[in-house]
């Protein structure tokens, strides 16, 4: 029921997810917000019931229903028991009002304590942790689905950010790179949702405005809409709400990664729970899930055994199946790998360049398919030129774009494994260097203190003998030997330089 009522409900939900505070803090506008939701739900239910009563009394529901302002506001007429849409609508509004009322009273109804009040928060916290972890893992895929399910100018930022995040994660082995510019995308997705909902309202827009709206990517949802449009709207809503659930966790992980090791602020602030941030033995923080014991060994061995040959085979198949100028670059990469067998460091750099090339190709294909409908190109010679370059037009380009991105994901996985191996080797070298330095420091300290003890013994012996021959009549050779012992002890003490 696209109407003002549904738009206000959707807008209230977006505002709640946008303004809801971090766990453990106070929601300042909680009372005002939930009072508004409760009052609005109650007014909607009362207005709908009065509207149904008027239809039943006057028996002239057709005339009332034909008023455009009634449809725009969202009041519905009861059709039949086979599709009681108005009943579902009333049940949902009553549930919304009940939840808002329970939030106002903090799980207290009419002054009575809820026996589940103490156990409910802990249960919800455990469920919420698993939901947030799942949202972190699925959010990059949902973002990609929002971009390619219905390619348009409005969806292009999601696709571009997905490609940039994939490159960042591949080159730096940083899982947070997949969420590059997530704050801007979060605000932008809410703007897209509001635009899409406003465009669904039963209003007769001017013809020029409809042309502009359809050109940027807005569409009308109905029972005859295609699956790509429906899937695009669902993925857009899922992206906003999933990102709103994990935004504070992303902020915590970013602050932990940006904080220097062994800083005073880190020790003063309370420990933050994070999903993916771990610390190596050398003290370096990372979010690479491959650097975790058995996962690293299993994934790296299987990748070099099966994954790398499969990626070369996929690149070769793509080069021959979609023969073009751009595809020749993939074939040249495969030939160079088989001929030169480069080192791991050189292969890491080469894979990074290949990944950037594939994703730039995918973005160009995206823009080409979006702009194709608004450019008067002929289907003959013009298309042959573009296909020779490597740009194809499809009626549903989402599948072709998904195949290109999957090709980039294969290259990104190889780069991620290479980077993980290099990071693990560098960490082991740092660890060995630290252990060697520690051993040298300990041995050197022992030698210095042994020299100091020896010099102290020589100096003590010399002092004792000097005090003896001061009163005794000794030969000159003995006195010369005692002076040499004193000098030797002083030199040993000065060369060792003890702290005390």
């Amino acid at each position: 029921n696209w109407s003002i009522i549904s738009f206000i409900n959707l807008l209230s939900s977006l505002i709640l997810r946008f303004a809801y505070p971090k766990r453990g803090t106070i929601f300042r506008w909680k009372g005002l917000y939930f009072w508004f939701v409760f009052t609005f739900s109650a007014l909607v239910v009362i207005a709908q019931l009065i509207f149904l009563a008027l239809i039943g009394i006057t028996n002239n529901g057709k005339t009332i229903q034909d008023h455009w302002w009634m449809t725009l506001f969202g009041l519905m007429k009861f059709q039949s028991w086979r599709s009681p849409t108005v009943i579902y609508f009333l049940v949902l509004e009553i549930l919304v009002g009940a939840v808002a009322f329970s939030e106002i009273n903090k799980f207290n109804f009419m002054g009575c304590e809820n026996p589940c009040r103490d156990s409910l928060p802990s249960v919800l916290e455990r469920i919420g942790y698993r939901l947030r972890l799942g949202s972190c893992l699925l959010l990059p895929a949902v973002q990609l689905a929002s971009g390619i399910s219905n390619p348009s100018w409005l969806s292009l930022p999601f696709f571009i950010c997905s490609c940039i995040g994939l490159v960042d994660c591949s080159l730096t082995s940083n899982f947070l790179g997949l969420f590059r510019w997530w704050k801007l995308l979060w605000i932008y997705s809410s703007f897209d949702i509001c635009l899409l909902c406003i465009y669904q309202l039963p209003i007769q827009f001017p013809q020029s405005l409809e042309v502009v709206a359809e050109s940027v990517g807005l569409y009308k949802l109905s029972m005859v809409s295609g699956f790509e449009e429906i899937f695009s709207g669902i993925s857009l809503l899922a992206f906003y709400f999933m990102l709103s659930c994990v935004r504070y966790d992303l902020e915590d992980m970013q602050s932990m990664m940006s904080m220097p090791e062994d800083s005073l602020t880190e020790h003063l602030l309370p420990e933050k729970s994070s999903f993916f941030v771990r610390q190596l033995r050398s003290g370096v923080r990372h979010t690479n899930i491959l650097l975790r014991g058995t996962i690293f060994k299993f994934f790296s061995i299987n990748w070099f055994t099966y994954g790398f040959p499969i990626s070369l085979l996929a690149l070769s198949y793509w080069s021959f199946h979609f023969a073009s100028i751009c595809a020749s670059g993939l074939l040249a990469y495969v030939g160079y790998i088989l001929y030169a067998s480069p080192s791991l460091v050189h292969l890491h750099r080469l894979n990074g360049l290949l990944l950037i090339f594939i994703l730039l190709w995918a973005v160009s294909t995206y823009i080409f398919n979006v702009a194709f409908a608004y450019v008067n190109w002929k289907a003959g010679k013009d298309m042959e030129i573009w296909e020779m370059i490597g740009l194809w037009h499809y009626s549903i380009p989402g599948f072709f774009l998904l195949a290109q991105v999957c090709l980039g994901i294969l290259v990104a996985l190889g780069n991620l494994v290479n980077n993980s191996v290099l990071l693990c080797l560098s960490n082991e070298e740092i660890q060995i260097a630290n252990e060697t330095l520690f051993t040298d420091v300990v041995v050197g300290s022992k030698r210095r203190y042994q020299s100091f003890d020896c010099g102290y013994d020589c100096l003590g012996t010399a002092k004792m003998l000097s005090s003896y021959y001061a009163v005794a009549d000794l030969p000159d050779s003995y006195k010369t030997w005692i002076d040499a012992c004193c000098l030797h002890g002083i030199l040993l003490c000065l060369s060792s330089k003890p702290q005390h």
Side-chain angles (χ1 to χ4, degrees):
N1 184 24
W2 302 109
S3 60
I4 294 178
I5 293 176
S6 62
F7 178 70
I8 293 177
N9 283 329
L10 179 62
L11 194 61
S12 301
S13 179
L14 297 179
I15 292 174
L16 175 64
R17 296 309 310 166
F18 186 82
Y20 206 80
K22 193 175 182 179
R23 293 179 301 277
T25 57
I26 299 175
F27 188 11
R28 295 182 179 180
W29 305 101
K30 179 179 179 180
L32 180 62
Y33 172 83
F34 285 110
W35 269 115
F36 168 78
V37 173
F38 174 73
T39 305
F40 180 74
S41 300
L43 290 176
V44 169
V45 172
I46 293 173
Q48 182 63 55
L49 291 177
I50 293 174
F51 181 73
L52 292 175
L54 288 176
I55 291 176
I57 293 173
T58 58
N59 198 17
N60 195 16
K62 184 177 180 180
T63 305
I64 297 177
Q65 186 70 12
D66 288 340
H67 289 180
W68 65 270
W69 59 271
M70 291 287 187
T71 306
L72 179 61
F73 186 72
L75 298 178
M76 292 182 292
K77 182 181 177 182
F78 182 77
Q79 299 292 337
S80 64
W81 288 106
R82 293 183 178 180
S83 58
T85 309
V86 64
I87 302 298
Y88 301 149
F89 171 72
L90 288 174
V91 170
L92 286 176
E93 286 293 338
I94 292 172
L95 286 175
V96 169
V99 172
F101 185 76
S102 65
E103 287 290 333
I104 293 171
N105 292 274
K106 297 179 181 180
F107 300 100
N108 294 334
F109 296 93
M110 300 302 179
C112 298
E113 291 291 336
N114 192 348
C116 299
R117 182 178 178 180
D118 297 331
S119 60
L120 187 60
S122 60
V123 175
L124 293 178
E125 181 67 24
R126 289 194 295 268
I127 296 175
Y129 176 80
R130 289 173 173 81
L131 287 177
R132 287 185 285 115
L133 180 59
S135 298
C136 272
L137 295 174
L138 296 177
L139 196 57
V142 176
Q143 178 180 337
L144 180 62
S146 301
I148 67 174
S149 56
N150 186 39
S152 62
W153 298 116
L154 285 177
S155 304
L156 181 60
F158 295 100
F159 184 72
I160 292 178
C161 290
S162 295
C163 295
I164 294 175
L166 185 60
V167 173
D168 190 359
C169 179
S170 172
L171 295 180
T172 63
S173 297
N174 184 9
F175 182 77
L176 294 178
L178 294 174
F179 304 97
R180 177 61 65 95
W181 300 331
W182 64 269
K183 291 183 180 179
L184 296 177
L185 280 180
W186 187 44
I187 298 174
Y188 180 75
S189 63
S190 63
F191 174 73
D192 277 359
I193 291 171
C194 292
L195 276 183
L196 190 61
C197 187
I198 291 174
Y199 192 67
Q200 308 304 315
L201 294 178
I203 301 175
Q204 189 64 32
F205 295 100
Q207 185 66 26
S208 59
L209 187 60
E210 288 187 355
V211 171
V212 173
E214 292 178 358
S215 63
V216 298
L218 295 177
Y219 49 87
K220 291 279 189 180
L221 286 172
S222 62
M223 297 300 296
V224 295
S225 298
F227 75 93
E228 64 273 9
E229 296 176 349
I230 297 175
F231 189 73
S232 175
I234 294 175
S235 59
L236 185 61
L237 283 171
F239 174 79
Y240 178 84
F241 284 101
M242 291 171 68
L243 187 55
S244 63
C245 290
V246 300
R247 59 183 177 125
Y248 291 118
D249 298 291
L250 293 177
E251 289 178 354
D252 289 343
M253 286 189 284
Q254 288 177 349
S255 63
M256 292 174 67
M257 292 297 295
S258 61
M259 189 180 299
E261 289 83 6
D262 298 330
S263 64
L264 181 60
T265 308
E266 180 185 6
H267 296 290
L268 293 178
L269 293 177
E271 294 184 358
K272 300 178 181 179
S273 59
S274 175
F275 297 134
F276 306 106
V277 177
R278 295 294 184 272
Q279 191 168 5
L280 296 174
R281 290 181 295 175
S282 59
V284 179
R285 297 189 189 92
H286 69 93
T287 57
N288 189 353
I289 59 176
L290 297 182
L291 295 177
R292 298 189 184 178
T294 56
I295 298 179
F296 173 69
K297 296 178 182 178
F298 176 80
F299 196 85
S300 58
I301 292 174
N302 283 276
W303 171 259
F304 287 114
T305 306
Y306 306 107
F308 187 64
I310 290 175
S311 64
L312 293 180
L313 184 62
L315 291 171
S316 303
Y317 174 78
W318 189 278
S319 302
F320 288 108
H321 187 73
F322 299 99
S324 60
I325 296 176
C326 293
S328 62
L330 306 182
L331 192 62
Y333 167 83
V334 175
Y336 177 77
I337 294 297
L338 296 177
Y339 175 76
S341 298
S343 62
L344 198 62
V345 178
H346 186 56
L347 183 63
H348 176 67
R349 297 172 182 172
L350 195 62
N351 284 345
L353 294 176
L354 179 65
L355 177 61
I356 294 173
F357 171 74
I358 291 174
L359 295 181
L360 283 177
W361 186 11
V363 172
S364 302
T365 306
Y366 191 104
I367 296 175
F368 176 77
N369 280 272
V370 172
F372 184 84
Y374 309 104
V375 180
N376 294 323
W377 285 332
K378 297 180 181 179
K381 295 183 178 179
D382 292 339
M383 285 305 302
E384 291 179 357
I385 296 174
W386 290 112
E387 289 177 359
M388 182 182 66
I389 296 174
L391 301 176
W392 281 268
H393 172 67
Y394 291 93
S395 58
I396 304 178
F399 293 112
F400 183 77
L401 292 171
L402 180 61
Q404 274 189 311
V405 173
C406 288
L407 194 66
I409 290 174
L410 277 176
V411 179
L413 281 176
N415 217 19
L416 183 62
V417 172
N418 295 339
N419 201 9
S420 302
V421 172
L422 294 175
L423 184 61
C424 185
L425 292 176
S426 63
N427 179 62
E428 292 295 333
E429 291 176 357
I430 293 173
Q431 186 69 20
I432 293 172
N434 291 335
E435 292 176 355
T436 305
L437 179 61
F438 178 76
T439 304
D440 293 341
V441 169
V442 171
V443 173
S445 300
K446 288 182 178 179
R447 289 177 179 175
R448 285 196 298 270
Y449 281 104
Q450 287 175 358
S451 300
F452 174 71
D453 293 338
C454 178
Y456 185 78
D457 292 339
C458 293
L459 188 60
T461 305
K463 286 181 178 180
M464 181 183 66
L465 293 176
S466 62
S467 60
Y468 174 74
Y469 79 76
V471 295
D473 188 11
L474 295 176
D476 293 336
S477 59
Y478 278 31
K479 293 180 180 181
T480 304
W481 180 79
I482 292 172
D483 293 337
C485 285
C486 292
L487 181 61
H488 180 63
I490 292 171
L491 291 176
L492 286 176
C493 292
L494 292 176
S495 63
S496 59
K497 295 183 181 179
Q499 294 181 354
H500 301 288

